[in-house]
Amino acid sequence: MRAARLGLLLGAMASLGGAALLGSGGVQAASDAHSKPEEEFRTSDRCVACHNGLKTSQGEDISIGFQWRASVMANAGRDPYWQGSVRRETIDHPESSLEIQNECSTCHMPMQHLADRDVGVKTDVLSRLPFSAEKDHFKAYKDGVSCSVCHQVEAKGLGTQETFNGNVAVAAPADKAHRQEYGPFDVDAGHQRVMQSSTKGFVPTEAAHIRDSGLCGSCHTLYTIARGPGGKEIGKLPEQMPFLEWQHSDYYNRESCQSCHMPEVTEPTRITAVFGPERTGMHRHVFVGGNVLLPQVLNEHRDELDVQALPEELKDATDRTTEFLKTRSARVSIADVQENAGDVQFAVRVENLTGHKLPTAYPSRRAWLHVVVRDAAGKVVFESGTLRPDGSIAGNDNDADPKRFEPHYTEITKQDQVQIFEPILKDLNGNVTTGLIAAVGYLKDNRILPSGFDKKSAAADVAVVGGAAEDANFAGGASLTRYVVPAANAQGPFRIEAELWYQPVGFRWAHNLEPYQAAEPQRWVKYYEENAAQNAVVLGRAER
């Protein structure tokens, strides 16, 4: 925590006095009159001017500002699914509305949140919506995970419980006119003066921790407070754990978060347009990951969401994410095929090529096996896991009934059985829920484990839950599912096709917002239905 925080807090409390707004529990609501993010941070428009116009020798545009503004990080506050989900939670838990908004703003609107935190108030998200070009004074809300957030985080406590949930320390000002902003390179005095001038006081400072996975882990290790009647805290959900999953894998010793999600430029290149010297080891600021849906939605609804990235930048982000998912996430194979008198038996193996569970992070994500068996004439005799046009999966109990879900299967024998790799949340009564604030744990977590992940020694927060925990064929690095397909009335030889599909937002996680009669949830359901056919990617495929 910055040293000046206590003094700022006391000063703010004194000035608020009896006129302060009070949220539930007597907590002060955020007030722009007391929280001044513009003093602690700079919005990205102050950085873009110098960190653009950058290309490799092959002509690839690696401009930091342009790549960042089309990323999920830049648009964390504009994300319509996040906005709809926040509204839903405040409707479900009205007595805790301000606490929920404040908690959610930590990672989605960090500039405003950290500035509010440092003067002891809580961040109000919903009163700032919808964003529009006219609301220019809400830049700190709109700018998402902006440049000067990550580049001002101190090394203290990174990768530990101390900084999880975005509870990072921000660099304290050296004096009234100078603040440190961290980067991986040593910057000469001339360029320091350029940056100080263009940003009004920020001083580029070399610091190795900017490339530490713990920097990413501070927001990407998220525990959500579970609340019951009256807003009472009833538990803590380990909601998003990719950093801890990575630590329990053998990727911990060989690849960082940045090495996959910010691919390195493999040649010397400039990082600034203004007389920048060539640097070795620059990383692209694309933050490529698993959310292939968001850039599509942002591009289709630019005005409604007040999007700043250009259409071609968002299309590039969509294409980049799709290619990343198709080539870097999974490998599928078919083995042990036996054609018997009355059936066909085989196994489908899925190998996880990532450094965390697949899928990981926000629990709306799921991957599943689509398996087809055809006879000698090409007629389908068995099909499991068909994706429907509305985004649901044929045979998935949870898509048909929000109270049920598919178990983890060791063996599939019927077409209405689907192997779905997913987390299923439970509330205090053990019921299935997609409400994060109601969730206290998991009924199922069979997301495919990364290489080296030992499920027997895994901590409870990253544990395998449900049938996969006892499945000997579900282990670190891969999952194997056996299929026994009835084929008494069909003629071989048989052709087997196996695909691993993935969705960033499953059908139930979208449509459970439908009953909430508020602008943000209704808008999201509309967007989801418009994009249902494009909301899925094949991660891997095999035939035999």
Side-chain angles (χ1 to χ4, degrees):
M1 302 290 176
R2 71 181 50 187
R5 186 172 305 154
L6 179 59
L8 288 170
L9 172 60
L10 294 174
M13 292 175 66
S15 62
L16 281 166
L21 296 173
L22 297 181
S24 60
V27 177
Q28 292 166 348
S31 166
D32 291 341
H34 304 285
S35 169
K36 296 180 178 178
E38 68 277 10
E39 292 186 357
E40 301 183 37
F41 303 99
R42 293 290 179 269
T43 47
S44 57
D45 52 336
R46 303 299 292 271
C47 311
V48 165
C50 285
H51 292 288
N52 273 328
L54 310 174
K55 291 190 176 182
T56 67
S57 60
Q58 301 301 309
E60 179 194 0
D61 192 334
I62 52 171
S63 296
I64 293 173
F66 294 159
Q67 292 192 329
W68 168 84
R69 73 180 178 186
S71 72
V72 172
M73 300 277 275
N75 293 288
R78 294 186 180 89
D79 183 347
Y81 183 41
W82 174 72
Q83 293 178 2
S85 299
V86 174
R87 180 69 76 181
R88 173 247 173 103
E89 297 293 355
T90 63
I91 293 173
D92 283 348
H93 307 273
E95 68 287 334
S96 304
S97 176
L98 182 57
E99 284 81 358
I100 292 169
Q101 293 178 64
N102 181 65
E103 185 176 1
C104 296
S105 70
T106 309
C107 295
H108 285 260
M109 297 175 169
M111 282 194 291
Q112 186 67 47
H113 175 86
L114 290 167
D116 288 342
R117 182 195 69 175
D118 287 349
V119 295
V121 296
K122 298 204 170 187
T123 304
D124 176 1
V125 171
L126 297 176
S127 69
R128 274 39 177 176
L129 304 180
F131 289 153
S132 68
E134 289 71 33
K135 295 180 178 178
D136 196 47
H137 53 295
F138 289 161
K139 276 185 178 178
Y141 289 87
K142 296 179 183 179
D143 218 27
V145 187
S146 195
C147 316
S148 74
V149 174
C150 292
H151 286 276
Q152 281 198 96
V153 170
E154 294 277 21
K156 183 175 180 292
L158 292 181
T160 71
Q161 289 283 343
E162 181 183 348
T163 59
F164 292 163
N165 278 26
N167 190 34
V168 294
V170 178
D175 53 48
K176 290 184 179 179
H178 299 89
R179 286 178 176 274
Q180 289 181 313
E181 188 138 298
Y182 301 120
F185 302 114
D186 182 27
V187 179
D188 61 60
H191 281 87
Q192 283 188 340
R193 282 193 294 276
V194 170
M195 182 164 164
Q196 283 179 247
S197 174
S198 63
T199 62
K200 291 189 176 180
F202 282 75
V203 183
T205 304
E206 184 180 15
H209 73 268
I210 198 71
R211 289 180 167 172
D212 187 335
S213 293
L215 180 68
C216 311
S218 58
C219 273
H220 292 280
T221 306
L222 177 59
Y223 294 89
T224 304
I225 298 171
R227 297 181 185 276
K232 181 182 178 183
E233 294 188 14
I234 56 174
K236 188 172 68 173
L237 174 73
E239 182 196 315
Q240 299 184 44
M241 300 286 121
F243 177 72
L244 297 185
E245 293 161 10
W246 167 80
Q247 281 191 320
H248 196 61
S249 78
D250 59 19
Y251 282 78
Y252 175 67
N253 292 317
R254 57 187 169 106
E255 290 197 60
S256 68
C257 306
Q258 291 89 336
S259 65
C260 287
H261 299 284
M262 300 178 67
E264 183 176 343
V265 178
T266 56
E267 64 182 30
T269 185
R270 295 181 299 121
I271 63 169
T272 65
V274 184
F275 304 114
E278 290 197 332
R279 306 286 193 178
T280 299
M282 171 196 172
H283 284 249
R284 297 170 175 85
H285 284 55
V286 291
F287 305 103
V288 62
N291 195 341
V292 72
L293 179 58
L294 179 60
Q296 296 179 55
V297 171
L298 292 170
N299 223 358
E300 293 165 1
H301 303 279
R302 303 179 52 77
D303 293 339
E304 291 177 18
L305 301 172
D306 192 27
V307 175
Q308 301 299 304
L310 299 178
E312 56 269 29
E313 294 165 358
L314 289 165
K315 182 181 183 305
D316 286 348
T318 301
D319 293 345
R320 188 162 47 235
T321 303
T322 302
E323 183 65 14
F324 182 74
L325 288 168
K326 285 182 173 180
T327 60
R328 299 286 302 275
S329 56
R331 185 179 298 121
V332 177
S333 58
I334 299 169
D336 302 331
V337 178
Q338 299 177 38
E339 296 189 11
N340 305 313
D343 61 38
V344 180
Q345 300 186 19
F346 55 93
V348 177
R349 185 174 189 269
V350 179
E351 184 180 355
N352 181 356
L353 303 181
T354 78
H356 42 62
K357 290 181 181 179
L358 178 67
T360 188
Y362 195 72
S364 67
R365 299 174 173 188
R366 63 184 181 183
W368 71 97
L369 288 174
H370 175 221
V371 173
V372 180
V373 179
R374 302 176 190 273
D375 65 13
K379 179 183 176 183
V380 174
V381 298
F382 176 91
E383 184 167 12
S384 165
T386 305
L387 175 65
R388 296 189 177 111
D390 64 358
S392 65
I393 304 170
N396 178 21
D397 287 348
N398 187 240
D399 287 353
D401 180 352
K403 299 177 182 176
R404 302 169 59 204
F405 65 94
E406 289 288 290
H408 172 81
Y409 291 100
T410 57
E411 183 175 280
I412 284 181
T413 60
K414 300 177 181 177
Q415 296 190 93
D416 62 357
Q417 298 171 331
V418 190
Q419 184 71 296
I420 306 178
F421 304 104
E422 62 182 348
I424 296 289
L425 275 56
K426 66 177 180 182
D427 65 17
L428 194 60
N429 297 315
N431 299 316
V432 178
T433 183
T434 54
L436 293 177
I437 305 302
V440 297
Y442 292 87
L443 292 164
K444 170 189 177 184
D445 186 351
N446 68 335
R447 290 174 288 184
I448 307 164
L449 303 174
S451 175
F453 189 105
D454 179 0
K455 62 182 178 182
K456 297 297 183 185
S457 63
D461 291 345
V462 295
V464 176
V465 180
E470 302 304 322
D471 181 358
N473 288 320
F474 185 89
S479 173
L480 186 144
T481 306
R482 299 202 61 81
Y483 286 76
V484 179
V485 174
N489 299 318
Q491 180 65 50
F494 295 93
R495 184 174 184 81
I496 304 165
E497 303 162 6
E499 297 174 327
L500 181 71
W501 282 77
Y502 161 80
Q503 281 177 320
V505 182
F507 178 86
R508 186 52 56 198
W509 281 85
H511 281 275
N512 279 5
L513 293 180
E514 206 163 0
Y516 295 87
Q517 297 304 310
E520 296 86 1
Q522 292 299 310
R523 181 181 63 186
W524 172 253
V525 174
K526 172 177 170 288
Y527 290 171
Y528 186 85
E529 290 177 339
E530 291 172 353
N531 286 278
Q534 292 82 40
N535 179 31
V537 175
V538 176
L539 305 185
R541 190 172 192 278
E543 290 185 12
R544 185 196 177 279

